[in-house]
């Protein structure tokens, strides 16, 4: 049914995210080596691999279950800063979904997920964190819905906004997370969490394609 | 880079097996390290944890006079809430539990989540943030917790052993943190098993100033210099933030790859520096205590002592990594 | 290569100043490290020494339950007779002095000369030669003394503390040496301050087998392998020379540049190997104890215990480098 | 006086040896790095520097005093294997000299010095040690005396024999000292102690030149 987002779509999203993170693991770790502690790729790869296992072991029966389970698994298995942050994103997103899931409902839930990340990490856009990819993605999604876009288009636009947001972290000076310790030296490097957020949003667009 | 490991994925698990096999005083289960004899009824429990790769911190500081349980995460990755919850429950002897948390976003978030989720145990939390290399905390995640973590664990551990209540143990832990400052210098980066190559490149004629303990780059670079100058540089940074006076506890800590003989060379310079400021080193530690895998370099941690802190520092401790005065 | 030193010439002197400043229990004079409180009348004195660069061996093992004095030579260079004579005289509490000498030509010659020159003190000497990597001793200078030196110093030190006479202390020292075997593996060479570059080059995919503790090359090379295989290789060499059975004391020793977490990974493998042979690890040490500056790698030392040796191993020891059971 | 070996000659020898060792310090340490522990050049440089200081502080009045003092200083300041060995060489050499020192007397005393090294180190020629340079030098010296050579010629021949002896250690397998631990792997490298012995003998020839 067009406009309806079902369990399989979200399963495809988490699987796609796992594949993307695996494929880009060394690049993410490399970005983290430049301004952090060289573990972001390993962290997310471990996390999304565990998400895949959990979703196979306890097959979810609703989109909300997929996302809450993914978030819980990320919190339980990743550690570091990104574990609680991505975990909260997915959990809050899942918890905010009404059944059946409409595109507009998803966009609102996604906004709520991103806000949860902002609350937890006390970061705002421009602090050179994953927020710099997630917040523009949320806005793009909401706007696409308002403009009547279908899910393919809407997710595409969100993914593009995330990607642009990630690249836009390069000239920024980090003010949150480990990269903030570098002061001026954090300038000129892409934030690893923003980069992984862009990958995850691209996986959503691909899952709906 | 060659590593004495089986696989990059299994290194924490394998090392914990070795730790358990080597120390009958410890018990290891589900990535938590406990005292084998369990919590002492009525004693405040001390729990700490953080990424692995900093050994002996924290796991080898579990034992009488120090921690009740430690949660080692993956290499340089904060532990997950499940570990912290398990550790907190197991460390509780009925008098509540103190979480000793190094101030990193990851550690803070995971410990907070854990504390929220085990609301059946009274939990107090102390943030260790001693690293003077992190300036203008308005624009950063705040000062990192580094070497002072050991001081906090030792001194709060001693007070807990005396039977003090949770708020008192938390109070002294915060006092130690307030009285402590650190600064680190790296001669080389370190190599994580997963990355297999140095986290950053450092030319032969440069040092990295103001490093943390995750192998992350520091605030700036400076030309390589004799031990005397590097020690003075670190001590000036500390002295500028917490003027050195009276009785000091000083740790010259190796980052993991520096020979002990070089740490003693640095300690001689630090001691002379302190004397030059009219203060006194009355207690000291020289060795690899809060490490960053195989990084070459050192950090200096200074704590301004008072009567109570000195007494608690001297109190018996019996852990694999720190042991005296039983 | 960057070193935390002032100058290559002053490194031993500077480090000894740091050692003295860090440990009020030690006194350092003219390149000899003593117990601050002096010899105990009626107790056999224990003196050891060797090149520097092996810290904590020997200087940080001076104290109750272990050595009375240590003579640190230049980096990797045996001490000179003058130092050994001073140490011997100062360690004598009237019951004679035991020289604990690692079997290297330089150590042997310098200790022999010293013993000859202080014929007013009854001196017994024990040669430590535990390194199974040195084969066919007819065609070599004989097996090197490596990790077992720590065992000899600890156990003979405990017996001396009990008031045993010189010949008894020497007897147990030789017994420990007889019961002990070691094997070392290097992942990298080390860099001496004077040379400023690695003593040997070791490709990324190779390890050096059967190394000593002077950064000298070993007997052969082998491809880099997982910790399990490297540990098995070392343990097979030991087992082939002294079959593992009953109760064992095992040290997994870091060469100076290897992170503790990796040593625990190795220890887990060693413990499993020992179990596989039907023997038991009943006592253990994991850490950097007998090092080669910043070399990455490990050595394993195994000692077959009996009742007396176990009792003496467990006896109190209170030195900067080894401390328990007071 | 031709044929007479005086205090100045021996002072010149120790000074020349000190210069040669300083000049070749890194080469000697390099040879020791290959089959030993990379300290031979530093050891001898430290030792001969101290010899120079001792001889300046307590000016010797006889050849015997120069050599005994040099030997004692080497024993007291070098450490390692080479300290006692070179120290004994010079001490025994000095002690065996009659006054005035004739070339024949020196040759006999030198033989006695080399024997002291052999006794102490329990090494024989062919074991790939300093003996491989010292023993041929002693023999060449004695033979030159028997053939009526003057000191220039005699010392020249001794130096040449030492040099050849040192080079001849290259194909040998070490059986004494630290290099012996390498077994077959010691083959193909010049022994550092033999190399330094050749330098010291060359310094003697130069002092008499
Ligand atoms: N306070 C924060 N708010 C939002 N995102 C954050 C915050 N702190 C860190 N991050 C994100 O987390 C990423 C690092 O994740 P990771 O490397 O897995 O954890 P750690 O920093 O603990 O090693 C950063 O690149 C950044 O995008
Ligand atoms: N037993 C011995 N007899 C004669 N010479 C020896 C003996 N052992 C070692 N040497 C010499 O000593 C040299 C090494 O000297 P040095 O490097 O200063 O001491 P160390 O081996 O203690 O580091 C060797 O190259 C060899 O020539
Ligand atoms: Mg990271
Ligand atoms: Mg991390
Ligand atoms: Mg040597
Ligand atoms: Mg040598």
């Amino acid at each position: 049914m067009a406009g309806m987002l079902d369990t399989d779509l979200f399963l495809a999203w988490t699987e796609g995210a796992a594949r993307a993170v695996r494929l880009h693991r060394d690049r993410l770790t490399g970005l983290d080596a430049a301004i952090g502690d060289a573990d972001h790729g390993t962290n997310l790869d471990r996390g999304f691999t565990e998400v895949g296992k959990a979703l196979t072991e306890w097959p979810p029966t609703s989109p909300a279950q997929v996302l809450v389970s993914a978030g819980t698994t990320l919190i339980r298995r990743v550690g570091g800063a990104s574990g609680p942050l991505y975990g909260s994103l997915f959990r809050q997103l899942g918890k905010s979904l009404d059944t059946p899931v409409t595109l507009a409902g998803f966009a609102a839930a996604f906004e709520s997920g991103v806000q949860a990340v902002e609350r937890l990490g006390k970061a705002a856009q421009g602090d050179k964190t994953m927020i710099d990819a997630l917040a523009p993605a949320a806005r793009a999604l909401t706007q696409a819905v308002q403009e009547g876009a279908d899910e393919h288009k809407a997710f595409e636009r969100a993914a593009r906004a995330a990607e642009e947001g990630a690249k836009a972290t390069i000239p920024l000076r980090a003010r949150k997370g480990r990269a903030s310790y570098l002061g001026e030296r954090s300038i000129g490097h892409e934030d690893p969490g923003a980069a992984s957020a862009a990958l995850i949003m691209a996986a959503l667009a691909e899952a709906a394609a | 880079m060659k590593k004495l490991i089986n696989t990059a994925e299994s290194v924490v698990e394998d090392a914990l097996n070795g730790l358990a096999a080597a120390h009958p005083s410890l018990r290891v289960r589900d990535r938590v390290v406990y005292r084998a004899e369990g919590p002492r009824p009525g004693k405040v429990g001390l729990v700490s944890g953080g990424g692995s790769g900093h050994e002996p911190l924290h796991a080898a500081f579990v034992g009488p006079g120090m921690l009740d349980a430690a949660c080692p995460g993956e290499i340089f990755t904060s532990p997950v809430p499940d570990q912290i919850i398990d550790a907190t429950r197991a460390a509780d002897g009925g008098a509540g539990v103190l979480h000793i948390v190094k101030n990193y976003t990851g550690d803070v978030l995971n410990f907070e989540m854990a504390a929220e989720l085990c609301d059946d145990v009274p939990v107090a939390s102390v943030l260790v943030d001693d690293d003077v290399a992190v300036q203008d905390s308005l624009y950063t995640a705040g000062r990192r917790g580094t070497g002072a973590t050991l001081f906090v664990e030792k001194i709060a551990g001693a007070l807990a052993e005396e039977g003090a209540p949770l708020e008192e143990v938390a109070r002294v832990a915060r006092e130690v943190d307030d009285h402590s400052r650190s600064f680190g210098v790296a001669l080389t980066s370190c190599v994580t098993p997963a990355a297999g190559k140095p986290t950053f490149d450092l030319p032969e004629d440069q040092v990295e100033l103001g490093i943390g303990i995750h192998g992350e780059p520091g605030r700036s670079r400076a030309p390589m210099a004799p031990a005397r100058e590097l020690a003075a540089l670190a001590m000036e940074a500390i002295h500028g933030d917490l003027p050195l006076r009276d009785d000091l506890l000083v740790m010259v800590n190796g980052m993991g790859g520096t020979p002990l003989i070089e740490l003693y060379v640095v300690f001689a310079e630090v001691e002379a520096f302190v004397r030059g400021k009219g203060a006194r080193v009355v207690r000291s530690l020289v060795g690899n205590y809060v490490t960053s895998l195989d990084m070459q370099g050192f950090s200096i941690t200074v704590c301004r002592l008072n009567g109570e802190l000195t007494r608690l520092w001297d109190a018996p401790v019996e852990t694999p990594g720190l042991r005296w005065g039983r």
Side-chain angles (χ1 to χ4, degrees), chain A residues 7-8 10-11 54-67 69:
Chain A
T7 304
D8 282 349
F10 292 105
L11 279 174
L55 290 172
T56 313
E57 225 169 305
W58 295 284
T61 55
S62 71
Q65 272 185 22
V66 176
L67 298 169
S69 163

Side-chain angles (χ1 to χ4, degrees), chain A residues 31 35 124-134 136 162-174 186-195:
Chain A
L31 292 175
I35 56 171
Q125 207 177 329
D127 285 351
K128 193 169 182 133
T129 69
M130 57 174 70
I131 293 296
D132 290 344
L134 294 175
E163 179 60 31
E164 282 162 13
K167 292 288 174 253
T169 63
I170 296 177
L172 296 178
R173 174 180 168 163
S186 65
I187 292 172
H189 300 275
E190 185 176 352
D191 177 65

Side-chain angles (χ1 to χ4, degrees), chain B residues 70-86:
Chain B
C71 316
E74 289 296 322
I75 300 279
F76 292 166
T77 303
S78 332
V80 296
D82 286 7
Q83 291 171 277
I84 304 169
I85 294 167
D86 287 352

Side-chain angles (χ1 to χ4, degrees), chain A residues 69 77 85 92 95 136 191 198-199 206:
Chain A
S69 163
R77 300 298 188 166
L85 293 168
Q92 183 61 34
K95 286 186 186 177
D191 177 65
L199 289 177
E206 219 169 277

Side-chain angles (χ1 to χ4, degrees), chain B residues 150-151 250-252 267 283-287 289 313 322 324:
Chain B
L150 184 154
F151 294 176
V250 173
M251 172 167 70
V252 169
F267 184 80
R283 296 291 185 277
S284 64
L285 277 184
V286 181
Y289 291 103
W313 178 257
L322 214 61
W324 59 69

